[in-house]
Amino acid sequence: CTVGEEFHRGYLVDERALSQVKKGMSAEQVLQTLGTPSTVSTVGNRNWYYISQKSRRPLQFMGEQVVDQQVTAVYFDKGLRVERVALYGIQDGRVFDFISRTTPAGGEEASFLGQIFRGVTSFNPFG
Amino acid sequence: CESLSSLNPFDKSETYKPEIVSNSPPEEIYNDGLARVQKGDFDGAVKKFSSLDKQYPYTDWARKGLIMEAYANYEGGFYEESITAAKRYLQSYPNTADAAYAQYLMASSYYDQIPDITRDQEKSERAILALQELIQRYPNSEYVADAKKKIQVASDQLAGKELEVGRFYLQKRNYAGAINRFRNVVSRYQTTRHVEEALQRLTEAYMAMGIVNEAQTAAAVLGHNFPDSPWYKDAHALLTRGGVEPREDSQSWISKAFRGVPQVGQRTG
Amino acid sequence: QQAAPRNRRVSATQGPIVNRVVIEGNKRVEKALIEDQLQARARAPYNQAAVDADVQRILEIYQRSGRGLAQVTPRVVDLPNGTVDVVYTVVEGDKTGVKEIRFVGNSQVSSSRLRGVMQTTETNLLSFLKSTDVYDPDRLANDLELIRRYYLKNGYADFRIVSSDVQFDPNAGGYVVTIAVEEGEQYRIGNVAVDPRLPGVDAEAVRRGITTSAGSVYNAEAVERTVQNLTANVARQGNPFALVRPVGARDPSTRTVSLTYVVEEAPRIYIERINVRGNSRTRDYVIRREFELGEGDAYNQVLIDRAERRLNNLGYFKRVRISNEPGSSADRVVVNVDVEDQSTGSFSISGGYSTADGFIGEVSVTETNFLGRGQFVRLAGQLGQRSNGVDFSFTEPYFLGYRMSAGIDLFSKFSDQTRYSRYENRMTGGTLRLGLPFTEEFTVTARYSLYQQEIEIPNDAERPYNDCSFPIPGFTDANRDGVVTRAECEANGEASRAIKQAQGETLTSLAGLTFNYNTLDSTRNPRNGFYAEVKTDFAGLGGDSHYFRVTGDARYYHEIIEDVVGIARVQGGHIMGFGDNGVNGGDLRIVDHFFMGPSLVRGFAPNGIGPRDISTADSRANALGGTTYFGASLEVQFPIFGLPRDLGLKGAVFADAGTLYGYEGPTVFTGVDGGTIRVLDSDKIRSSVGASLLWASPLGPIRFDYAIALSKEEGINGVGADRTQAFRFSGGTRF
């Protein structure tokens, strides 16, 4: 549906620049043409990932649904030369629920009543 | 209508009356301060100890008063005042016996103000810096052991916050933001409890994008270092459900992070 | 070499030790504030230079706080033990505010209007209350910027401030500020063009977004707003790096500015990290969720500004500042969000008076950022002459992480309506609501309410409103020979049979939707914009009442000329009973009817309009309510000429019209108050004209309305007539 807003997330893919990345190209040249990757595995492991997403939000209260996702992975060989370029589309992504459990973390948690009145003027019946 | 403000009830000015400020002997003031600390009147104790510095400047009493002033402030929970007093002590008496204690008081003042992970962790960072300085400048002081423990807890807080923000972006399916946050936890806070969850979240994020080899590596490192962690069970389950076995790709940055080799494009420290 | 000691005071060797440094005569300024600025120290050797510096320092403090005439005389008091006391005696003198602000060269815009734009004000009768008339160089510099922006907003593209100088005029006892300006010509907008230098940009869509139309007066602020909207739209269309830049070409001969909106690409920079700092109370996600862009996304200044605006509107922070610093590589930037929490809890005791409820007091505890989670909590209790109650309200603005505001309200309200309708009403219940914003302006709220309503007719010696049916021993009989005749018991006021029938408890369980459309420029005192609210309610999911109700209220604000705001308002509603409402002969309970008064047409008393039971002599107080109402109102609000603006006084004139009709309650009754009632149900248009005074007083908004009814329902030779109430007052702190 046309109503609603569309968002471009992450890296903006530039087809022309992407087509210039050829096998054997140096890491420096890739940096020049594509820019810094969204996230880097490591030069050692030599995988660079450019993550771009298009999401839509039909109505403002709704969450954003990812409508298109493209991850451009640039794999380098040991000599830091481009080995191959892989594209992962939205269909590659596995759909599952993230684990809701979280690692417990400490820190002074404001007590319930202390919190409600700490914000109030100096007068604080609950001390 | 100036007349209105002249009959202002809050007339605060007083006229000058000559009066000589009596100087009681220093030990008396010092002991009075100690007594007040025992009684728990930290406010009064601080006033007593700071008056020592005013009335007997450049004497050993002033030094003692200053360290006790830092202590009384700390016990009374006036952390900022305790920090300023401790800093003044470290500037004027850097290599006295109590310098380590002053440094410890300052670090503890920051440490005791550490909020929960959804709030600004600036106090944790300050606490870590002060504790590290304590360990580095007074290596054999009796506070080093406790300092190490406190550093662990404070960096655990920092890792917790990083993880919290990572989860926020993962929930919004912003994988780039999430992965970089989780990476930060894995590479800078490996010794904290949060690293297990960070590795599991990395598995989730990479799987959600379909980059299976990175997911495998993350899960493998998690299994390798924390075999019986519940997070590893979740990561393993996610991979097997996706029909893929966790396989450590030894060159992956994650395994590298655990062997401490800094990576390109990642700020150290 | 050693300077020879000429006299004890100025000696190169150590002067006497200072015992104490004392300030006296300081009424206006705190002693502590002065003390920590002084250089002369107790227990340090006396130093003449330090004392001289202190005198200047104290004078400067006083000048800053508006006392330019203050004098400070230092003196040294020798003490028996050889030490000295340094005493600064201050004579504060009276306030030296800004006596007059003069303008030179402002032919197009009047001086009083320019003064209105400035924050610095002239000393006047309110000066003991305010501090804005104190001469403060920073505030004056800020004022010059405000004036410049005002001129740019009204088309004076060549505007320039020639000079602004401040003279201290001793006999006027204050400062005289003279600002010389060079206005230049007023420009209008020539042609407006779009220059898309980016592939794939839909120029037509961009053109549609332009609000600065050719021919209208050139308005710098409107151009700025247009650029922001255009950038947001274009960034959405496909390229998050798109940026719109306005290029204005001035043509002095035709006094027009032709505007070209250039669409180009900003440098491709991505956000590496968003650091939220300083949030000691508010939680990180409450701040982070206001950003429409996240880490790893393209850096877009417009979206950053929009987030900053949103954070400020939350009201949780004293200060919000978003700054950038270079990231770990050339095309990366780190965004730092520095916030400073402010206390968002308020524990307020307020009082007020309104002709409808009489005197009323309220105690309330409100926390708008509960536990730092951005949740709103409010607990309030009201106690008044004719009404009291308690209510609790909780709202979570981001329910389940979406921008849905879920909330619950619980209330128990008692109101004594006997002055207008001879019954007391207690309502106890709760509402669950879910707010769904469809766009920035349009929101739909889904509601479910369950409440118990209890109607009771007081029947005692002072308020014998039911003594015809239930005679009060020793009171009703007293005025007759044993037989209760209707004429007498009605004379002291008697509730209509319909209301007697409605006594008792009714449970209402209704679900409803509220549609809000709001483009007002400010909620507190709007100048431009449109506000509309339509409510549809369906009662009958269980409970005793069964009806379908729809009400609507739309207001249009338009600033006719500077500070004069015209308001046009239309409202209406209809309710339709269905099924079994437990009411023989009618298809809607009395209680569920609309009861209208001043809220529909000013100049009428509460429940003063609408169908009445004219079968009793007390018909004036027996409104039965109607099922259909509609009304319209035209109002013009204007500042009262001649009075300084910061008094906050505004006048208004208005004309209202409206009607309420269609009683569909029961008319035949059985039992103790059996019999039938005759209802006067006229759909005559009631109208009135009037004027009001609005005062944004330090206590809170106060409003006086005076309205004369032009046309009203006269009733049948006086019986069943509308009730008018010319004067209406409501005020006290915010109600």
Side-chain angles (χ1 to χ4, degrees):
Chain A
C1 61
T2 56
V3 84
E5 294 161 300
E6 222 179 65
F7 298 93
H8 282 266
R9 292 268 173 246
Y11 179 74
L12 183 64
V13 179
D14 175 350
E15 295 309 332
R16 226 171 5 80
L18 195 53
S19 58
Q20 286 158 17
V21 178
K22 291 285 177 297
K23 190 167 159 24
M25 216 171 158
S26 81
E28 217 38 61
Q29 282 163 321
V30 173
L31 264 182
Q32 296 308 333
T33 42
L34 295 179
T36 315
S38 304
T39 181
V40 175
S41 51
T42 172
V43 167
N45 181 286
R46 304 174 300 280
N47 300 354
W48 288 8
Y49 299 104
Y50 294 86
I51 303 167
S52 61
Q53 245 175 18
K54 207 164 79 176
S55 59
R56 165 182 300 287
R57 180 169 66 181
L59 296 172
Q60 212 179 36
F61 67 89
M62 289 179 176
E64 277 170 44
Q65 283 97 15
V66 176
V67 290
D68 182 22
Q69 179 175 286
Q70 183 187 336
V71 180
T72 313
V74 180
Y75 296 99
F76 292 88
D77 59 20
K78 286 220 175 359
L80 261 177
R81 295 277 166 202
V82 173
E83 204 174 57
R84 61 185 173 82
V85 175
L87 293 182
Y88 294 86
I90 192 163
Q91 68 290 356
D92 298 315
R94 301 301 195 278
V95 181
F96 55 90
D97 289 338
F98 301 124
I99 302 288
S100 56
R101 188 181 69 250
T102 62
T103 314
E108 171 249 345
E109 175 59 65
S111 73
F112 171 74
L113 280 182
Q115 167 77 38
I116 197 168
F117 287 107
R118 182 146 34 92
V120 170
T121 49
S122 53
F123 165 66
N124 179 346
F126 287 88
Chain B
C1 53
E2 203 41 52
S3 58
L4 198 66
S5 70
S6 61
L7 39 93
N8 164 345
F10 313 103
D11 191 330
K12 295 188 287 299
S13 77
E14 353 78 29
T15 48
Y16 163 68
K17 292 186 288 316
E19 167 219 339
I20 297 175
V21 175
S22 64
N23 285 351
S24 37
E27 347 32 284
E28 205 186 289
I29 300 174
Y30 188 75
N31 296 338
D32 184 358
L34 286 184
R36 285 169 187 273
V37 170
Q38 251 64 36
K39 264 198 298 135
D41 165 15
F42 299 111
D43 218 7
V46 167
K47 286 200 182 60
K48 281 295 164 200
F49 290 130
S50 59
S51 67
L52 260 180
D53 178 37
K54 283 208 179 68
Q55 289 176 23
Y56 299 91
Y58 318 113
T59 67
D60 192 49
W61 283 110
R63 184 188 63 76
K64 279 213 202 77
L66 190 50
I67 188 69
M68 284 312 287
E69 183 184 337
Y71 170 69
N73 272 319
Y74 175 68
E75 284 302 322
F78 316 120
Y79 295 121
E80 292 312 322
E81 291 77 1
S82 169
I83 290 168
T84 14
K87 275 191 179 133
R88 250 178 41 229
Y89 186 90
L90 286 167
Q91 267 147 21
S92 9
Y93 314 97
N95 28 41
T96 56
D98 287 336
Y101 185 52
Q103 179 72 25
Y104 180 65
L105 274 177
M106 176 162 75
S108 304
S109 296
Y110 284 126
Y111 181 79
D112 286 9
Q113 295 178 76
I114 292 181
D116 67 291
I117 57 171
T118 62
R119 298 204 169 92
D120 186 2
Q121 292 305 319
E122 185 226 352
K123 293 286 190 291
S124 316
E125 278 146 14
R126 286 258 177 85
I128 292 178
L129 287 177
L131 290 164
Q132 276 162 350
E133 204 183 324
L134 177 88
I135 296 170
Q136 183 237 334
R137 282 182 41 196
Y138 314 96
N140 32 42
S141 104
E142 79 229 57
Y143 306 109
V144 166
D146 188 38
K148 286 205 171 88
K149 264 210 284 53
K150 282 199 157 95
I151 287 182
Q152 177 59 29
V153 172
S155 28
D156 197 78
Q157 280 300 97
L158 290 179
K161 160 130 201 200
E162 206 69 17
L163 202 56
E164 174 82 6
V165 177
R167 283 192 292 260
F168 174 86
Y169 284 120
L170 190 61
Q171 208 55 41
K172 287 168 83 83
R173 303 232 171 255
N174 173 349
Y175 300 121
I179 289 175
N180 285 330
R181 286 276 173 167
F182 297 139
R183 279 188 54 184
N184 231 341
V185 175
V186 172
S187 45
R188 288 171 59 182
Y189 305 106
Q190 300 144 28
T191 58
T192 69
R193 296 170 292 126
H194 294 278
V195 76
E196 296 167 38
E197 181 178 353
L199 285 168
Q200 195 272 336
R201 296 296 180 192
L202 279 172
T203 316
E204 283 183 340
Y206 281 124
M207 279 302 276
M209 288 200 293
I211 305 175
V212 177
N213 61 338
E214 286 295 337
Q216 285 172 330
T217 312
V221 170
L222 177 56
H224 181 63
N225 290 287
F226 309 93
D228 44 25
S229 143
W231 294 106
Y232 175 57
K233 289 184 185 53
D234 301 326
H236 187 71
L238 178 60
L239 284 173
T240 42
R241 246 203 333 276
V244 173
E245 268 307 310
R247 177 180 54 77
E248 179 170 346
D249 186 335
S250 63
Q251 290 311 321
S252 143
W253 64 272
I254 303 170
S255 36
K256 270 236 168 352
F258 272 81
R259 286 204 294 281
V261 174
Q263 275 72 49
V264 157
Q266 174 236 334
R267 277 172 302 152
T268 51
Chain C
Q1 91 305 359
Q2 198 68 8
R6 273 189 304 288
N7 60 42
R8 205 165 59 77
R9 187 62 45 102
V10 181
S11 62
T13 57
Q14 292 295 52
I17 296 298
V18 170
N19 174 42
R20 269 192 319 134
V21 177
V22 176
I23 302 150
E24 59 175 9
N26 56 326
K27 285 207 281 289
R28 275 281 163 266
V29 178
E30 283 294 324
K31 191 149 83 77
L33 184 66
I34 300 176
E35 251 160 13
D36 55 32
Q37 314 243 348
L38 298 183
Q39 289 175 16
R41 280 272 177 273
R43 279 183 205 77
Y46 178 82
N47 169 340
Q48 183 57 42
V51 169
D52 296 341
D54 284 349
V55 168
Q56 289 315 321
R57 194 70 197 93
I58 298 174
L59 279 176
E60 207 183 287
I61 292 175
Y62 270 98
Q63 204 234 335
R64 243 318 145 193
S65 68
R67 304 235 162 237
L69 300 173
Q71 284 119 16
V72 179
T73 47
R75 71 181 188 330
V76 176
V77 176
D78 290 326
L79 296 176
N81 66 356
T83 62
V84 290
D85 270 351
V86 175
V87 179
Y88 296 110
T89 311
V90 178
V91 174
E92 288 182 339
D94 53 17
K95 195 168 178 176
T96 54
V98 171
K99 283 291 182 256
E100 201 197 340
I101 303 175
R102 284 199 211 106
F103 288 94
V104 172
N106 56 332
S107 53
Q108 312 274 356
V109 179
S110 73
S111 299
S112 69
R113 177 148 311 155
L114 288 178
R115 272 187 218 102
V117 170
M118 294 169 66
Q119 278 168 353
T120 312
T121 53
E122 289 168 330
T123 318
N124 57 25
L125 47 95
L126 263 179
S127 61
F128 66 92
L129 252 181
K130 61 178 180 174
S131 68
T132 55
D133 64 344
V134 160
Y135 167 63
D136 174 358
D138 303 339
R139 188 188 295 130
L140 191 60
N142 180 24
D143 286 336
L144 298 184
E145 176 54 21
L146 288 174
I147 292 175
R148 197 180 66 78
R149 225 181 284 154
Y150 174 80
Y151 268 103
L152 278 179
K153 209 167 70 159
N154 292 286
Y156 295 91
D158 295 339
F159 174 77
R160 201 166 59 80
I161 291 191
V162 175
S163 74
S164 91
D165 78 83
V166 180
Q167 294 300 338
F168 180 70
D169 175 358
N171 42 42
Y175 296 89
V176 174
V177 177
T178 318
I179 301 175
V181 295
E182 187 189 282
E183 290 171 330
E185 296 307 327
Q186 182 173 44
Y187 281 81
R188 289 191 169 276
I189 295 183
N191 55 33
V192 176
V194 173
D195 169 6
R197 295 184 186 155
L198 250 176
V201 168
D202 170 358
E204 205 35 50
V206 172
R207 195 182 305 284
R208 269 202 308 278
I210 297 178
T211 53
T212 54
S213 52
S216 63
V217 171
Y218 170 78
N219 173 342
E221 249 169 43
V223 171
E224 183 52 38
R225 260 198 316 277
T226 309
V227 164
Q228 291 222 339
N229 295 341
L230 289 185
T231 310
N233 300 345
V234 171
R236 286 279 146 65
Q237 267 175 25
N239 182 340
F241 290 109
L243 197 64
V244 175
R245 188 166 49 84
V247 173
R250 220 170 290 165
D251 175 0
S253 59
T254 61
R255 294 217 298 281
T256 58
V257 177
S258 60
L259 279 171
T260 317
Y261 290 96
V262 173
V263 183
E264 57 192 1
E265 185 171 83
R268 293 191 164 205
I269 305 218
Y270 294 90
I271 295 176
E272 178 169 4
R273 205 175 151 84
I274 299 179
N275 292 324
V276 174
R277 303 189 298 210
N279 53 329
S280 53
R281 270 185 85 238
T282 311
R283 293 172 190 262
D284 183 281
Y285 61 83
V286 170
I287 297 165
R288 206 173 282 275
R289 66 187 178 193
E290 292 299 339
F291 284 82
E292 272 169 25
L293 30 81
E295 293 177 354
D297 288 350
Y299 179 82
N300 183 316
Q301 186 57 44
V302 165
L303 293 182
I304 296 272
D305 296 345
R306 183 181 288 193
E308 188 164 1
R309 235 193 342 267
R310 272 202 184 138
L311 286 175
N312 276 317
N313 292 344
L314 289 177
Y316 305 155
F317 308 112
K318 281 203 201 74
R319 195 175 50 79
V320 173
R321 214 169 51 73
I322 300 184
S323 57
N324 305 341
E325 66 183 53
S328 62
S329 65
D331 60 355
R332 282 289 184 277
V333 75
V334 171
V335 175
N336 291 322
V337 184
D338 289 293
V339 293
E340 194 188 326
D341 279 300
Q342 68 181 353
S343 86
T344 52
S346 74
F347 181 86
S348 72
I349 298 169
S350 57
Y353 173 82
S354 90
T355 39
D357 299 334
F359 286 100
I360 189 157
E362 184 188 75
V363 174
S364 74
V365 172
T366 314
E367 168 65 68
T368 52
N369 185 6
F370 181 59
L371 290 184
R373 291 208 175 88
Q375 293 159 343
F376 172 88
V377 177
R378 178 181 137 88
L379 186 64
Q382 293 90 15
L383 191 63
Q385 265 175 322
R386 282 191 282 282
S387 63
N388 56 54
V390 60
D391 60 84
F392 168 77
S393 165
F394 171 83
T395 306
E396 160 57 58
Y398 276 77
F399 188 56
L400 303 174
Y402 298 112
R403 279 176 75 84
M404 296 191 291
S405 71
I408 179 167
D409 308 314
L410 303 173
F411 52 82
S412 170
K413 293 233 176 321
F414 168 80
S415 70
D416 166 358
Q417 305 275 358
T418 49
R419 261 184 74 185
Y420 301 104
S421 298
R422 301 298 182 234
Y423 64 87
E424 287 171 344
N425 176 0
R426 171 172 291 284
M427 259 170 80
T428 310
T431 305
L432 287 174
R433 48 186 157 77
L434 189 64
L436 311 169
F438 277 49
T439 67
E440 284 287 326
E441 295 88 19
F442 179 63
T443 306
V444 174
T445 308
R447 283 175 288 106
Y448 171 73
S449 304
L450 179 67
Y451 58 90
Q452 171 103 340
Q453 198 164 199
E454 194 191 341
I455 301 290
E456 206 195 309
I457 300 175
N459 193 22
D460 48 39
E462 305 93 25
R463 300 186 296 174
Y465 299 139
N466 200 1
D467 60 352
C468 289
S469 311
F470 300 94
I472 305 164
F475 173 80
T476 319
D477 293 339
N479 49 30
R480 215 151 43 290
D481 43 25
V483 173
V484 172
T485 58
R486 284 208 72 81
E488 265 138 36
C489 68
E490 277 179 359
N492 51 29
E494 186 66 14
S496 143
R497 277 197 179 79
I499 294 185
K500 289 182 186 176
Q501 195 72 45
Q503 280 188 97
E505 287 166 0
T506 49
L507 181 68
T508 308
S509 150
L510 70 86
L513 286 174
T514 308
F515 304 89
N516 282 87
Y517 181 79
N518 180 351
T519 57
L520 297 180
D521 54 359
S522 113
T523 33
R524 247 201 336 218
N525 47 36
R527 291 166 179 272
N528 287 301
F530 181 69
Y531 174 84
E533 177 175 286
V534 173
K535 278 189 179 167
T536 59
D537 294 328
F538 170 77
L541 316 168
D544 309 326
S545 306
H546 301 81
Y547 58 76
F548 177 77
R549 173 175 62 193
V550 62
T551 60
D553 180 353
R555 282 190 285 261
Y556 175 69
Y557 292 83
H558 181 62
E559 194 172 20
I560 304 160
I561 53 171
E562 182 71 29
D563 288 344
V564 175
V565 177
I567 305 166
R569 179 180 186 190
V570 195
Q571 56 178 318
H574 179 65
I575 184 166
M576 201 171 51
F578 64 88
D580 161 26
N581 272 314
V583 174
N584 45 38
D587 51 13
L588 190 68
R589 288 174 184 281
I590 284 275
V591 154
D592 296 331
H593 280 68
F594 293 119
F595 287 89
M596 282 292 152
S599 64
L600 187 65
V601 182
R602 278 166 286 199
F604 285 84
N607 300 1
I609 297 176
R612 289 179 179 285
D613 167 9
I614 51 174
S615 49
T616 77
D618 184 9
S619 71
R620 286 174 59 77
N622 273 328
L624 299 173
T627 54
T628 312
Y629 75 91
F630 48 82
S633 154
L634 279 173
E635 178 171 339
V636 177
Q637 289 181 356
F638 46 83
I640 296 181
F641 192 68
L643 286 183
R645 273 165 70 79
D646 52 300
L647 274 178
L649 263 174
K650 273 203 297 191
V653 285
F654 55 81
D656 290 0
T659 182
L660 169 66
Y661 60 90
Y663 169 72
E664 287 178 7
T667 52
V668 178
F669 303 92
T670 56
V672 169
D673 13 280
T676 64
I677 57 169
R678 274 192 11 264
V679 178
L680 175 66
D681 185 347
S682 95
D683 55 6
K684 185 172 164 35
I685 303 289
R686 281 78 163 182
S687 64
S688 70
V689 283
S692 29
L693 188 65
L694 299 101
W695 180 23
S697 76
L699 259 174
I702 293 179
R703 179 170 186 137
F704 305 87
D705 290 318
Y706 184 80
I708 315 142
L710 296 183
S711 66
K712 64 185 172 90
E713 173 52 57
E714 301 301 343
I716 302 160
N717 45 51
V719 175
D722 288 351
R723 292 190 62 178
T724 58
Q725 182 185 53
F727 172 72
R728 203 163 73 98
F729 162 81
S730 71
T733 49
R734 56 163 174 57
F735 245 84

